[in-house]
Amino acid sequence: MTIIEAIETRRSVRSYDGAGITDAEKRAIESAISDIYNPFGGSFTIKLKSFGNKETYKPSTYGIIRGAQDFFLVGYADDKLSELATGFCFEKIVLKSWQMGLGTCWIAATFKGSDFEKGEYLLTGHSLKIISPVGVPAKKSLIEKISRFAVGSDKRKPFDKMFFYKNFNTPIPENNKYRMALEMLRMAPSSTNSQPWRVLVDNNTVHFYYSEKGSLSILDTGIGICHFYETEKYNGREGKFVTLPNTPVVHERWKYLVTYIGK
């Protein structure tokens, strides 16, 4: 499965087959975590932890995770770069897991009073902010279909409502080289399907903005940027990220985050 196929087909999974992941799968995932590319800096922790065979887990008020034995535990420092890097890097692990045939589900909550309340001691220097089960998906249940519908997982904003060319009134030309990468960004998951990312393309540079739609807007934008970057890499155009000292084009609602310089 290519990274493009993974982006296009990956979905959140809340129900699993009840078996834990294999030792070989654990080694592959842990290797991917240790080798992860982070272009933004910041500070975060991603750990894979087996919680054993339990029929259901209740991560706070989010709902029930059924049949999972193994979970990712994620924490990060309380600053913009750390949140951006966490979204970018953990989505790479999520996509890698999907390529291996394993499902995941991003869950961001306080976890107080949940099965994961004592998980913080497993992370060095960071409090637990995100968990995700990981394992072989069970047959899709009615509950999962309802949950997917409730958060709008199958709906995305139109392309021209999020991506612009040189100013925030002009759509991206049909022949622009970044259209494929932007379409893969458009497909990225986000909390409550908020899709907070906005993009301004200016010739070879791509400026990423975000709209403050909640406490996870920067994290969600990092997830989207991961999709963009992985698509560019797949197309042989692996560029670099920089943070400009001044906002390229000021917008009254959208905040500048980072710039990608393509090849």
Side-chain angles (χ1 to χ4, degrees):
M1 181 187 297
T2 69
I3 192 65
I4 302 302
E5 291 169 333
I7 290 171
E8 290 178 331
T9 62
R10 187 261 167 192
R11 60 178 175 84
S12 294
V13 175
R14 297 168 181 83
S15 298
Y16 296 82
D17 69 351
I21 62 176
T22 67
D23 289 342
E25 289 167 338
K26 288 178 183 178
R27 288 193 297 271
I29 290 171
E30 288 171 346
S31 176
I33 292 172
S34 64
D35 294 339
I36 202 163
Y37 168 63
N38 172 17
F40 305 115
S43 177
F44 62 89
T45 302
I46 301 171
K47 281 199 172 183
L48 178 62
K49 172 69 177 177
S50 177
F51 282 78
N53 191 3
K54 182 179 177 181
E55 184 177 350
T56 62
Y57 287 92
K58 298 179 180 179
S60 189
T61 58
Y62 180 85
I64 294 176
I65 299 297
R66 300 180 184 276
Q69 291 195 35
D70 303 286
F71 288 81
F72 291 111
L73 307 177
V74 183
Y76 54 88
D78 294 321
D79 63 79
K80 185 183 295 186
L81 285 180
S82 295
E83 188 173 353
L84 175 65
T86 301
F88 181 93
C89 293
F90 187 49
E91 181 66 1
K92 289 171 71 71
I93 302 303
V94 164
L95 293 172
K96 172 67 174 179
S97 299
W98 189 256
Q99 288 176 302
M100 294 169 58
L102 302 174
T104 56
C105 182
W106 283 80
I107 303 171
T110 61
F111 305 110
K112 188 174 182 181
S114 75
D115 291 308
F116 300 90
E117 185 175 11
K118 296 180 181 180
E120 291 186 347
Y121 79 95
L122 297 167
L123 301 179
T124 302
H126 301 116
S127 61
L128 182 65
K129 295 184 178 179
I130 298 166
I131 67 165
S132 171
V134 56
V136 176
K139 186 175 181 179
K140 202 170 183 180
S141 67
L142 177 61
I143 291 175
E144 188 150 338
K145 291 178 182 178
I146 292 171
S147 298
R148 188 171 173 83
F149 176 78
V151 299
S153 299
D154 296 314
K155 297 180 180 179
R156 294 290 187 272
K157 289 184 175 69
F159 188 97
D160 290 342
K161 295 293 185 182
M162 293 187 287
F163 311 128
F164 306 91
Y165 189 69
K166 294 195 174 183
N167 60 65
F168 288 110
N169 297 309
T170 304
I172 303 289
E174 288 291 335
N175 63 349
N176 188 269
K177 70 177 184 178
Y178 292 120
R179 281 194 74 95
M180 180 180 178
L182 292 172
E183 179 58 30
M184 295 302 104
L185 189 163
R186 193 176 76 90
M187 298 180 69
S190 58
S191 56
T192 65
N193 202 34
S194 58
Q195 303 165 77
W197 44 75
R198 298 295 184 272
V199 175
L200 188 65
V201 176
D202 188 354
N203 295 324
N204 203 42
T205 59
V206 182
H207 307 298
F208 293 93
Y209 292 69
Y210 70 100
S211 174
E212 289 188 318
K213 295 189 174 183
S215 60
L216 300 174
S217 292
I218 296 175
L219 182 84
D220 288 338
T221 304
I223 296 172
I225 293 174
C226 173
H227 284 207
F228 176 93
Y229 174 79
E230 289 298 320
T231 305
E232 280 291 284
K233 185 178 176 182
Y234 174 82
N235 286 328
R237 298 194 303 258
E238 189 175 356
K240 65 178 182 179
F241 291 95
V242 298
T243 301
L244 301 179
N246 299 308
T247 299
V249 178
V250 175
H251 192 279
E252 60 182 6
R253 297 193 312 275
W254 305 329
K255 295 186 176 181
Y256 169 70
L257 193 56
V258 70
T259 294
Y260 174 86
I261 302 175
K263 288 186 177 180

